[in-house]
Amino acid sequence: MALNLAEALSSIDTRAEAADWRAAIRLAGAGLVAGGATTDAYTDEMIDAVEKHGPYIVIAPGVALAHSRPSPAVLTGGLSWVSLATPVEFGNKANDPVTLVIGLAATDHDAHLQVMQALAGVLSDSAAMTRLTAAGTADEVRAVLGELAVAA
Amino acid sequence: MKIVAVCGMGIGTSVLLKMNAEKVLAKLGIDADVEAADMGVARGAAQTAEIVLTSEELAEELGDVPAEVIVIKNFFDLDEITEKLTAAVE
């Protein structure tokens, strides 16, 4: 059985409202902070990363993986999940607009590989992604992720 | 063959890209070493690699390198990765 991604998530927000991409990343950052994974400074670092490197974090249609590098603002590894009520433009030509923002924090380059493998499995499953982005509550998201972990 | 998957930070998108590229390479039966790297490391690594995998935004930032740069739009579309890697290897 694969790692259940639901167990790795510090927080899950559904049908969240964000005015723009910065607000969307702030929600993902707040989720990491609420879960005890990071401090507020990490949220700023995730926004800085996009300002510096562009909106490359939108890695698949509708999905942004907000993250920065390991830093003192990362207390422990964490993952947050924010699905948006209204899709937001990040400025990514291929994959805008974004409906799901996943916040990622890691303490080093290797510690989170199992989590990343589970995440890759979920994100590459288009049927599951349709259900996950439509899920209205955190419990629904957890239920779908739990099913995927059993099936994997 | 040496392949470098590049992202801004070296912990997120490049790791996902590396995982999916390895899946594709195994299926194609290509023996390759895939490394995930951030932009700074990648500029060095791309000097000795044959192929660089990255996104459109980062390909522009990476600039000219001796390796063949492949731009992936959807990091989870194994068909896209398969098609582009096959074309590059041939």
Side-chain angles (χ1 to χ4, degrees):
Chain A
M1 190 171 123
L3 180 130
N4 183 351
L5 198 59
E7 284 163 19
L9 284 168
S10 315
S11 72
I12 301 176
D13 281 327
T14 57
R15 296 187 181 149
E17 292 286 350
D20 56 24
W21 67 265
R22 285 186 181 80
I25 290 180
R26 289 210 174 278
L27 291 174
L32 290 170
V33 172
T38 61
T39 67
D40 287 330
Y42 188 73
T43 304
D44 294 328
E45 288 167 18
M46 291 195 293
I47 291 173
D48 290 347
V50 174
E51 282 171 349
K52 184 169 174 215
H53 296 291
Y56 79 94
I57 63 166
V58 189
I59 51 177
V63 181
L65 182 68
H67 64 290
S68 184
R69 60 182 71 243
S71 82
V74 179
L75 308 173
T76 179
L79 205 61
S80 64
W81 179 283
V82 179
S83 67
L84 298 169
T86 310
V88 169
E89 300 278 335
F90 272 60
N92 184 292
K93 278 177 240 165
N95 297 322
D96 262 348
V98 169
T99 51
L100 173 64
V101 183
I102 291 166
L104 167 71
T107 49
D108 65 52
H109 286 234
D110 301 314
H112 64 308
L113 282 179
Q114 262 197 318
V115 172
M116 295 299 279
Q117 243 150 12
L119 184 61
V122 170
L123 294 180
S124 55
D125 182 338
S126 56
M129 284 304 289
T130 305
R131 291 174 65 199
L132 285 166
T133 47
T137 65
D139 283 342
E140 278 178 57
V141 173
R142 280 195 196 92
V144 176
L145 292 174
E147 276 176 42
L148 291 176
V150 173
Chain B
M1 179 180 298
K2 187 175 162 193
I3 298 177
V4 187
V6 181
C7 83
M9 303 298 153
I11 66 149
T13 49
S14 60
V15 174
L16 293 172
L17 191 52
K18 168 183 149 81
M19 285 173 183
N20 284 336
E22 281 172 343
K23 264 186 227 167
V24 166
L25 290 162
K27 217 174 267 178
L28 292 173
I30 297 169
D31 185 25
D33 178 27
V34 189
E35 184 188 328
D38 67 19
M39 191 51 78
V41 172
R43 284 212 179 89
Q47 303 299 320
T48 54
E50 277 140 274
I51 294 174
V52 172
L53 292 170
T54 193
S55 66
E56 191 171 344
E57 288 82 9
L58 296 179
E60 284 167 24
E61 191 177 336
L62 188 63
D64 278 335
V65 290
E68 179 169 357
V69 177
I70 302 180
V71 171
I72 302 294
K73 285 185 177 163
N74 180 347
F75 284 25
F76 298 100
D77 184 346
L78 295 184
D79 291 338
E80 180 188 352
I81 299 174
T82 303
E83 192 183 308
K84 290 179 175 171
L85 269 180
T86 307
V89 167
E90 279 172 1

